[in-house]
Amino acid sequence: DIQMTQSPSSLSASVGDRVTITCRASQSVSNYLCWYQEKPGTAPNLLLYATSNLQSGIPSRFSGSGYGTEFTLTISSLQPEDFATYYCQQSYSLPFTFGPGTKVQIK
Amino acid sequence: QVQLVQSGAEVREPGASVKVSCKASGYSFTTYAIHWVRQAPGQRLEWMGRINTANGNTKYSRKFQGRVTITRDTSASTAYMELSSLRSEDTALFFCARVLHRHCSGDSCYSGFDFWGQGTLLAVSS
């Protein structure tokens, strides 16, 4: 199975900050990488798929980049509603696997 | 609007089985596969398996192989996940989620899970 890691595991930031989260895969997943946002008590919400494709309805302050084994999620200007946990997930091969999550907290 | 509505919370004793349903509405059921994902307390999301809703073909995680069965009823636009031989470590939130069939080839999917059920909480305790 492909193992996914994320860094940092948590971060504190202020509204308006630029935030970057890194996701690494134990082997190449090409560009088959998704990002989700999860808030307490709700299901994950798809932000980006195939590394950099913005899901419908997601604000353009979210962006993604990378290929192979290293990927990043960037929030260009953090908004109050962005405080949440973010997960990466490889959709390259079954079993699909998720990263451990990065919790974005208010500074 | 698109909805995946799951059945309610369950409590089971160790060794028992549970069957969770996921009813789809607002789209053509057989154009999307349904996947099941588990989230145990303090753990990462964990993929359990998926069903091709058009032909019923299933694939399971090796971790759950032999204990999980995913089925679907196209007439009811509903997918089911049954987990047997329950143990305390199975206490978790279970989600169904969809991905477009035509975005997948073999074991790869170009797109992610664009809609999720609300989650079903399972507690396993004696």
Side-chain angles (χ1 to χ4, degrees):
Chain A
D1 299 357
I2 298 174
Q3 307 303 315
M4 307 299 292
T5 59
Q6 286 181 236
S7 61
S9 57
S10 66
L11 65 91
S12 296
S14 301
V15 171
D17 283 354
R18 182 181 182 88
V19 167
T20 299
I21 298 168
T22 298
C23 173
R24 291 185 175 88
S26 61
Q27 63 190 77
S28 177
V29 298
S30 183
N31 70 331
Y32 288 72
L33 194 284
C34 303
W35 289 96
Y36 298 86
Q37 177 192 70
E38 187 180 50
K39 295 181 180 179
T42 67
N45 185 39
L46 179 64
L47 301 174
L48 295 142
Y49 62 92
T51 299
S52 59
N53 291 268
L54 209 57
Q55 176 66 11
S56 175
I58 301 301
S60 59
R61 63 180 179 273
F62 292 93
S63 64
S65 64
Y67 187 86
T69 62
E70 188 155 335
F71 301 86
T72 58
L73 169 69
T74 299
I75 309 172
S76 61
S77 177
L78 201 63
Q79 298 301 299
E81 59 269 29
D82 300 336
F83 292 97
T85 299
Y86 294 84
Y87 295 94
C88 61
Q89 175 232 328
Q90 63 83 14
S91 57
Y92 180 73
S93 70
L94 295 177
F96 293 162
T97 45
F98 293 81
T102 295
K103 188 170 184 178
V104 177
Q105 302 175 100
I106 302 172
K107 195 174 206 176
Chain B
Q1 74 282 19
V2 172
Q3 282 191 302
L4 295 174
V5 178
Q6 297 182 221
S7 47
E10 303 273 11
V11 179
R12 294 287 186 274
E13 292 189 348
S17 298
V18 70
K19 191 171 186 176
V20 180
S21 66
C22 172
K23 182 169 176 60
S25 61
Y27 72 96
S28 175
F29 180 67
T30 55
T31 58
Y32 287 78
I34 293 291
H35 294 240
W36 288 88
V37 175
R38 181 174 87 169
Q39 189 171 39
Q43 303 296 312
R44 70 180 70 190
L45 296 157
E46 190 171 29
W47 184 84
M48 300 178 68
R50 65 106 169 108
I51 188 164
N52 180 319
T53 53
N55 62 21
N57 182 45
T58 54
K59 196 139 188 181
Y60 302 119
S61 166
R62 274 192 305 274
K63 177 171 181 175
F64 298 97
Q65 195 88 36
R67 289 207 301 141
V68 66
T69 305
I70 300 173
T71 56
R72 97 291 191 214
D73 178 349
T74 55
S75 66
S77 297
T78 301
Y80 302 90
M81 185 281 297
E82 184 168 21
L83 189 61
S84 61
S85 302
L86 292 171
R87 36 218 190 212
S88 58
E89 309 89 87
D90 292 317
T91 293
L93 195 54
F94 292 81
F95 294 102
C96 61
R98 72 169 200 175
V99 62
L100 198 56
H101 281 311
R102 64 180 172 83
H103 282 182
C104 299
S105 175
D107 282 358
S108 300
C109 289
Y110 179 75
S111 58
F113 302 131
D114 65 344
F115 275 91
W116 295 60
Q118 83 277 18
T120 296
L121 188 61
L122 169 66
V124 182
S125 173
S126 54

